[in-house]
Amino acid sequence: QAQAGWLQHDFGHLSVFSKSRWNHWVHKFVIGHLKGAPASWWNHLHFQHHAKPNCFRKDPDVNMHPLFFALGKTLSVELGVQKKKFMPYNHQHKYFFIIGPPALVPLYFQWYIFYFVVQRKQWV
């Protein structure tokens, strides 16, 4: 699943074949048939991620509960005054592998994939 995930990531970035159309077709196959999610779901989230990487409430990759991904100083008034629009990740390395895999993939991604599919009627 991890290899298929990175493979679809590279196809999604149109970086495997020289023709974009081939990348789109294989991306749709890999994410749709091997990963079980619509390609438009990945595109929607990934484009948002690249627009505002690691900005809390703007980047869907870090748009989860701040307790899980910012155990240090969590989005305090000081950060707002300094106009820092990123999460302080100074403790994430200590607990990510305990919380991340069980929470990120089974709970967050699966829930959001079902929500996205139903909301946008992306049944393929």
Side-chain angles (χ1 to χ4, degrees), residues 56-109:
F56 184 60
R57 298 204 173 121
K58 301 216 186 253
D59 181 355
D61 289 354
V62 296
N63 195 17
M64 291 176 227
H65 196 280
L67 174 66
F68 293 145
F69 296 99
L71 275 182
K73 204 174 184 184
T74 57
L75 300 173
S76 65
V77 174
E78 290 176 291
L79 291 175
V81 169
Q82 294 172 11
K83 296 186 180 180
K84 290 187 178 181
K85 300 198 186 282
F86 60 87
M87 298 276 294
Y89 295 107
N90 52 338
H91 294 285
Q92 181 177 335
H93 64 284
K94 296 175 186 172
Y95 59 87
F96 176 78
F97 290 104
I98 296 168
I99 295 172
L104 193 63
V105 175
L107 298 177
Y108 179 72
F109 282 150

Side-chain angles (χ1 to χ4, degrees), residues 3-18:
Q3 288 176 331
W6 284 111
L7 184 62
Q8 71 81 26
H9 175 269
D10 292 343
F11 286 122
H13 274 289
L14 310 178
S15 61
V16 178
F17 297 117
S18 59

Side-chain angles (χ1 to χ4, degrees), residues 19-40:
K19 295 187 178 192
S20 294
R21 177 177 275 178
W22 293 3
N23 284 297
H24 284 296
W25 284 347
V26 180
H27 179 241
K28 287 178 183 178
F29 174 78
V30 172
I31 195 168
H33 296 287
L34 301 181
K35 298 293 292 174
S40 59

